[in-house]
Amino acid sequence: MYSESDHRPIVQKYGGTSVGNVDRIKHIAKRVSEQVEQGYQKIAIVVSAMSGETNRLVGLVGDINPKAPAKHYDLAVSAGEQVSVALMASALEAEGVSARGFTAYQLGIVTDEYHSQARIQEIDCRKLFDVWERGEIPVIAGFQGITRQGEITTLGRGGSDTSAVALAVALDAAFCEINTDVDGVFTADPRVVPNARLNLEMDFEVALEMASLGSKVLHARCVELGAKYRMPIVVRNTFKENDSDRTKIMSFNDQQRLEAPVVSGVTLARDVVRMTVDCMPPDQRLVSGLFENIAEAGVNVDIIVHNRSDRRDAMRLGFSIGRSDLGKTLEILDAWKGGVSAEPMIDHEEGLAKVSVVGLGMQSHPGVASRCFAVLSERDINIHMISTSEIKISCVISEGQADLAAQALHEAFLDE
Amino acid sequence: MYSESDHRPIVQKYGGTSVGNVDRIKHIAKRVSEQVEQGYQKIAIVVSAMSGETNRLVGLVGDINPKAPAKHYDLAVSAGEQVSVALMASALEAEGVSARGFTAYQLGIVTDEYHSQARIQEIDCRKLFDVWERGEIPVIAGFQGITRQGEITTLGRGGSDTSAVALAVALDAAFCEINTDVDGVFTADPRVVPNARLNLEMDFEVALEMASLGSKVLHARCVELGAKYRMPIVVRNTFKENDSDRTKIMSFNDQQRLEAPVVSGVTLARDVVRMTVDCMPPDQRLVSGLFENIAEAGVNVDIIVHNRSDRRDAMRLGFSIGRSDLGKTLEILDAWKGGVSAEPMIDHEEGLAKVSVVGLGMQSHPGVASRCFAVLSERDINIHMISTSEIKISCVISEGQADLAAQALHEAFLDE
């Protein structure tokens, strides 16, 4: 698969389970050395910390000081990727491939100063071309960066994927390969829907929706970055030889969009909570003020439903959040309520899940939504909230019926 | 003990066992916070990796590639100190002390390019004064450095002690405190000589001899650096409150030299091998050529005895080495022998030890050597080789009699 892009670099990212032990690291080094032997020289490898290592380091800092500043967490945690870099470089040398390790500061992966959730601002790639010129393979620490003041940062969840895609963009790479412990992006979670199939090609937009809606293979952030710069992302299984079983995420052209399947996947997000604020005065400023407070607290609000209350001249507002944000959200609502004269009623419902149908072809098939509702109602699955966009339909349902709903929707739209 | 030096910085180094677990790190942070509360602000903390961590990382690299280039070892191993820095900084914050962590590259500890045994060339301390200005305590990774090309290096055995003393020199500190798991430098190893006492004050010269001759508390390299720049080194136990039980190593003035005890310590080095080369032609160039070859191989030759052979017109050369260098030394001798026409006879004797008596006062007491021999011969201890200098007498003896010899010499010279 490398022949057509011989002149452009390739970035290969290996995640925590892929570098989880000595044998796995050796396996990867063997693969890379074979590619180098096949004549492909401009490979850049990005590695995560060995699985479990980041948690061990976070645990150590937490044991010492649960309120340690994020900069100290970042300093501790980034050691994990540094070790992986050294091990991968050593494994490559054992295969006869000269390797050069790079931490974020050694390469120059500059981020902003938001410790533990930093964003990459700039990557200096010149050193990599020098390294390739000398016939060496660079191995780069993912997940970490450095501020312009020289402080170590980390990129937050999905950080190593983001490092890899950002590096691919900076290098104008042919593509960015995300090597992981699954074969790619499936039409549904195979543990829930046994008939789930691998998507061989996906448009960025669909992949982004699936990542946002609960597919755990890729983080939305890295897909977003790929989409922004049209950098193809190949998701593949580190330990499968067969290179055709993988998902390529790319920008579809018009023809491809036309021919895209109506539905590409069914996703499932559990632990959804519905908040309800009833008997609100019909004042739009009250609503926007509330959502500003919620956003400032870092709570991700998903579906919002806003309509008339049963009470005359009043409104009812519903929105969904993740269960981990419930405490924070209740506090905000309580404080907000104090400033509202009409005493709105606040309620919440736990034990919900969100099932979504995603696909580029839905734009031209308006019947998808109604078929979706029909499929769920046939199974006596009650829909609590609905949200639609051009390429997805999300339904909040009871968590107990989540698996059944995903299976039913997959059967209706995706089973062959 | 800080009152007299309030205006000058102090460097405190904590070794691997001192930062070996969460509770120990918390204990140290408490001590530092108390010192800060007492008004002492300019403290710089240097930490080693948690005990066992360096070996774990070396083991991982070794499992992947026993012949991995030293630069990859250094990259892996230096992660250990980085974690200790983050943990110590977090512990200080828990005690209400603002801390700032520094890896070698963040501070600017520049070394040469000899990976795994690098030497410090320069330390940029300006950042530390800025940190103190802001009321923060700097925590610095020991053992590691960075080359001018930006590659991570490590300093080899005793590296963190060397980092600390070098930093103290660069800062013009009042003194460098080496916090460890023993109370200081004893007159002998207390496990061998139960009567061993703590030396409260020692001259650099004596401390250097003792470190070179087998006292394991300090590495010769760090004492050498302290001696060169007259930077006092205080060796103390991390976990003892009492600050008067410790050893201060410093430059004695003339008065102190006069009053120095005749003997400061008895040291013991095991695993000594005596090499003998007999029937050599009396050609000095042959001998110097041999020792050049040995030095190039990194073998440390200790005592050298060179005198007439039993055979007429021939010489006998004896020298002692450590057992770990035996294989290498035999190879060198074998190769060297091929170039000597007279076919010298090569022999070696294992199972030896070196017992030494060290003290500044010996310079003015010529009777120490003869008393030494008398004490050993009284115990029927046979002396295989002897080496003397102005401040030490070393005798190579049978390893089986080593403890007895150390006890006897301590009793004769040091028991009160």
Side-chain angles (χ1 to χ4, degrees):
Chain A
M1 74 185 288
Y2 293 121
S3 57
E4 53 177 312
S5 47
D6 268 359
H7 56 298
R8 286 169 73 192
I10 286 171
V11 176
Q12 296 182 352
K13 181 256 172 177
Y14 295 92
T17 49
S18 298
V19 298
N21 63 42
V22 164
D23 287 335
R24 290 178 179 185
I25 293 172
K26 287 181 178 171
H27 174 96
I28 294 167
K30 198 155 188 301
R31 176 180 184 235
V32 174
S33 80
E34 284 164 5
Q35 291 172 351
V36 170
E37 253 172 54
Q38 285 158 28
Y40 206 87
Q41 298 290 340
K42 285 196 210 139
I43 299 172
I45 296 171
V46 175
V47 288
S48 301
M50 295 170 87
S51 54
E53 184 62 4
T54 303
N55 286 344
R56 183 182 78 87
L57 294 168
V58 167
L60 275 173
V61 180
D63 285 350
I64 279 184
N65 182 0
K67 292 179 178 169
K71 61 182 176 181
H72 301 325
Y73 265 100
D74 285 358
L75 186 61
V77 166
S78 62
E81 279 75 25
Q82 182 172 328
V83 171
S84 292
V85 165
L87 298 182
M88 184 62 76
S90 301
L92 285 169
E93 306 265 1
E95 292 289 337
V97 175
S98 294
R100 170 76 196 271
F102 287 99
T103 60
Y105 90 87
Q106 286 179 313
L107 185 60
I109 302 179
V110 178
T111 72
D112 60 24
E113 283 150 45
Y114 292 97
H115 282 285
S116 298
Q117 46 181 352
R119 300 215 152 232
I120 296 175
Q121 293 182 331
E122 200 184 316
I123 300 182
D124 181 359
C125 295
R126 283 168 304 180
K127 284 181 188 165
L128 297 187
F129 287 95
D130 294 344
V131 165
W132 285 320
E133 196 70 36
R134 290 198 297 272
E136 296 174 345
I137 295 294
V139 183
I140 299 140
F143 187 60
Q144 57 181 247
I146 186 116
T147 67
R148 291 187 197 279
Q149 285 70 44
E151 293 236 41
I152 292 174
T153 53
T154 62
L155 307 183
R157 293 189 62 194
S160 286
D161 289 353
T162 306
S163 301
V165 174
L167 184 65
V169 169
L171 284 168
D172 190 24
F175 57 88
C176 178
E177 200 181 77
I178 305 286
N179 290 275
T180 179
D181 52 359
V182 295
D183 293 351
V185 182
F186 282 78
T187 51
D189 183 341
R191 287 166 300 185
V192 175
V193 181
N195 286 343
R197 286 174 286 112
L198 189 65
N199 280 301
L200 295 182
E201 288 190 338
M202 291 180 88
D203 184 76
F204 278 121
E205 227 174 311
V206 172
L208 188 54
E209 278 289 6
M210 285 188 67
S212 310
L213 292 170
S215 164
K216 290 189 185 70
V217 178
L218 282 177
H219 280 273
R221 188 172 165 193
C222 114
V223 182
E224 216 172 82
L225 194 63
K228 188 170 169 190
Y229 294 98
R230 295 172 172 261
M231 173 55 59
I233 298 172
V234 174
V235 184
R236 69 180 286 283
N237 194 319
T238 307
F239 303 104
K240 282 216 175 153
E241 300 300 326
N242 185 354
D243 249 341
S244 55
D245 288 346
R246 48 92 190 114
T247 301
K248 186 169 188 185
I249 301 168
M250 57 194 210
S251 283
F252 277 19
N253 58 32
D254 290 345
Q255 185 60 31
Q256 283 169 315
R257 290 183 91 90
L258 266 177
E259 290 169 0
V262 176
V263 170
S264 295
V266 172
T267 64
L268 195 53
R270 301 176 199 270
D271 291 333
V272 172
V273 176
R274 177 174 63 172
M275 312 297 301
T276 308
V277 186
D278 206 351
C279 304
M280 280 176 69
D283 182 347
Q284 193 59 39
R285 283 168 306 179
L286 273 176
V287 177
S288 59
L290 173 60
F291 282 121
E292 265 166 37
N293 294 350
I294 290 175
E296 271 168 25
V299 173
N300 207 4
V301 170
D302 188 25
I303 302 175
I304 299 175
V305 184
H306 191 196
N307 46 22
R308 283 194 179 281
S309 170
D310 295 338
R311 215 179 73 184
R312 212 183 147 203
D313 288 334
M315 301 298 291
R316 178 191 287 155
L317 173 73
F319 60 92
S320 67
I321 57 169
R323 191 163 58 196
S324 56
D325 287 330
L326 179 58
K328 237 193 290 186
T329 309
L330 285 173
E331 274 175 38
I332 292 164
L333 280 168
D334 226 43
W336 168 84
K337 190 181 164 184
V340 181
S341 54
E343 292 209 20
M345 287 162 56
I346 292 165
D347 197 11
H348 72 269
E349 185 178 0
E350 294 184 67
L352 301 175
K354 183 174 66 175
V355 62
S356 307
V357 170
V358 189
L360 212 52
M362 286 164 62
Q363 298 180 59
S364 44
H365 288 75
V368 175
S370 55
R371 190 157 163 220
C372 220
F373 308 146
V375 165
L376 294 179
S377 81
E378 265 169 33
R379 264 76 170 184
D380 289 323
I381 296 169
N382 194 19
I383 303 176
H384 295 239
M385 299 174 93
I386 294 171
S387 162
T388 61
S389 79
E390 286 198 324
I391 65 162
K392 70 124 205 249
I393 296 155
S394 291
C395 302
V396 172
I397 57 174
S398 166
E399 194 158 10
Q401 295 178 302
D403 289 3
L404 176 64
Q407 288 152 6
L409 290 169
H410 198 278
E411 191 188 323
F413 290 104
L414 286 151
D415 277 8
E416 278 166 343
Chain B
M1 74 185 289
Y2 292 119
S3 57
E4 53 178 311
S5 48
D6 267 1
H7 56 299
R8 285 169 74 194
I10 286 171
V11 175
Q12 296 182 352
K13 181 257 173 178
Y14 295 93
T17 49
S18 298
V19 298
N21 62 43
V22 165
D23 288 334
R24 291 179 178 183
I25 293 172
K26 286 181 179 173
H27 174 95
I28 294 168
K30 199 156 184 303
R31 176 183 184 234
V32 174
S33 81
E34 283 164 6
Q35 291 173 350
V36 170
E37 252 171 54
Q38 284 157 29
Y40 205 87
Q41 298 291 338
K42 285 196 209 139
I43 300 171
I45 296 170
V46 175
V47 289
S48 300
M50 297 170 85
S51 54
E53 184 62 4
T54 303
N55 287 345
R56 184 182 76 88
L57 294 168
V58 167
L60 274 174
V61 180
D63 285 349
I64 280 185
N65 182 359
K67 293 179 178 169
K71 61 182 175 179
H72 301 325
Y73 266 100
D74 285 358
L75 186 61
V77 166
S78 63
E81 279 74 26
Q82 181 172 330
V83 171
S84 291
V85 165
L87 298 182
M88 184 62 76
S90 301
L92 285 169
E93 306 265 2
E95 292 289 338
V97 175
S98 293
R100 171 77 196 267
F102 287 99
T103 60
Y105 91 87
Q106 286 178 313
L107 185 60
I109 301 178
V110 178
T111 71
D112 59 25
E113 283 150 43
Y114 293 96
H115 282 284
S116 298
Q117 46 181 352
R119 300 217 151 232
I120 295 176
Q121 294 181 331
E122 199 186 316
I123 299 182
D124 181 358
C125 295
R126 284 170 301 179
K127 284 181 190 165
L128 297 187
F129 288 95
D130 294 344
V131 164
W132 285 320
E133 196 69 38
R134 289 197 298 271
E136 296 174 345
I137 295 293
V139 183
I140 299 141
F143 187 61
Q144 58 180 246
I146 185 118
T147 68
R148 290 186 199 278
Q149 284 70 44
E151 293 236 42
I152 292 174
T153 53
T154 62
L155 307 184
R157 291 190 63 194
S160 286
D161 289 352
T162 306
S163 301
V165 175
L167 185 65
V169 169
L171 283 168
D172 191 23
F175 57 89
C176 178
E177 201 181 77
I178 305 287
N179 291 276
T180 180
D181 52 358
V182 297
D183 293 351
V185 182
F186 282 78
T187 52
D189 184 341
R191 286 166 303 185
V192 175
V193 181
N195 286 342
R197 286 175 286 111
L198 188 65
N199 280 302
L200 295 181
E201 287 190 339
M202 292 179 88
D203 183 77
F204 279 121
E205 229 175 309
V206 173
L208 188 54
E209 278 290 8
M210 286 188 67
S212 309
L213 291 170
S215 163
K216 289 189 184 70
V217 177
L218 283 178
H219 280 273
R221 185 169 165 196
C222 112
V223 183
E224 215 172 84
L225 195 61
K228 186 169 169 192
Y229 295 98
R230 297 173 172 260
M231 173 55 59
I233 298 173
V234 174
V235 184
R236 69 180 286 282
N237 193 319
T238 307
F239 303 104
K240 282 216 175 154
E241 299 301 326
N242 185 352
D243 249 342
S244 56
D245 287 346
R246 48 94 189 112
T247 301
K248 185 170 188 183
I249 302 167
M250 56 194 211
S251 283
F252 277 19
N253 59 34
D254 290 345
Q255 186 60 31
Q256 283 169 316
R257 290 184 91 90
L258 266 178
E259 290 168 2
V262 176
V263 170
S264 295
V266 172
T267 64
L268 195 53
R270 300 176 199 272
D271 292 333
V272 172
V273 176
R274 179 174 62 174
M275 311 298 303
T276 308
V277 185
D278 206 351
C279 304
M280 279 177 70
D283 182 347
Q284 194 58 40
R285 282 169 305 179
L286 273 176
V287 177
S288 60
L290 174 60
F291 283 121
E292 264 167 37
N293 294 350
I294 291 175
E296 270 168 24
V299 173
N300 207 5
V301 169
D302 187 26
I303 302 176
I304 298 175
V305 184
H306 191 196
N307 45 23
R308 283 195 178 280
S309 170
D310 296 337
R311 216 178 71 186
R312 212 183 146 205
D313 288 333
M315 301 297 291
R316 180 191 286 153
L317 174 72
F319 59 92
S320 68
I321 56 166
R323 191 163 59 196
S324 56
D325 287 330
L326 179 57
K328 239 192 291 185
T329 309
L330 285 173
E331 275 175 37
I332 293 164
L333 280 167
D334 226 44
W336 167 85
K337 189 181 165 183
V340 182
S341 54
E343 292 211 19
M345 288 161 55
I346 292 165
D347 198 9
H348 72 271
E349 186 179 1
E350 295 185 66
L352 301 175
K354 183 175 64 173
V355 63
S356 307
V357 170
V358 189
L360 214 51
M362 287 164 62
Q363 299 180 58
S364 45
H365 288 75
V368 174
S370 54
R371 189 158 165 220
C372 220
F373 307 147
V375 166
L376 293 179
S377 82
E378 265 168 35
R379 262 77 170 185
D380 288 324
I381 297 169
N382 194 21
I383 302 176
H384 296 241
M385 300 173 93
I386 294 172
S387 163
T388 61
S389 80
E390 286 199 323
I391 65 163
K392 70 121 203 251
I393 296 155
S394 291
C395 302
V396 172
I397 56 174
S398 165
E399 194 158 11
Q401 296 177 301
D403 289 3
L404 176 63
Q407 288 152 6
L409 291 169
H410 197 278
E411 191 188 322
F413 291 105
L414 285 152
D415 278 7
E416 279 165 344

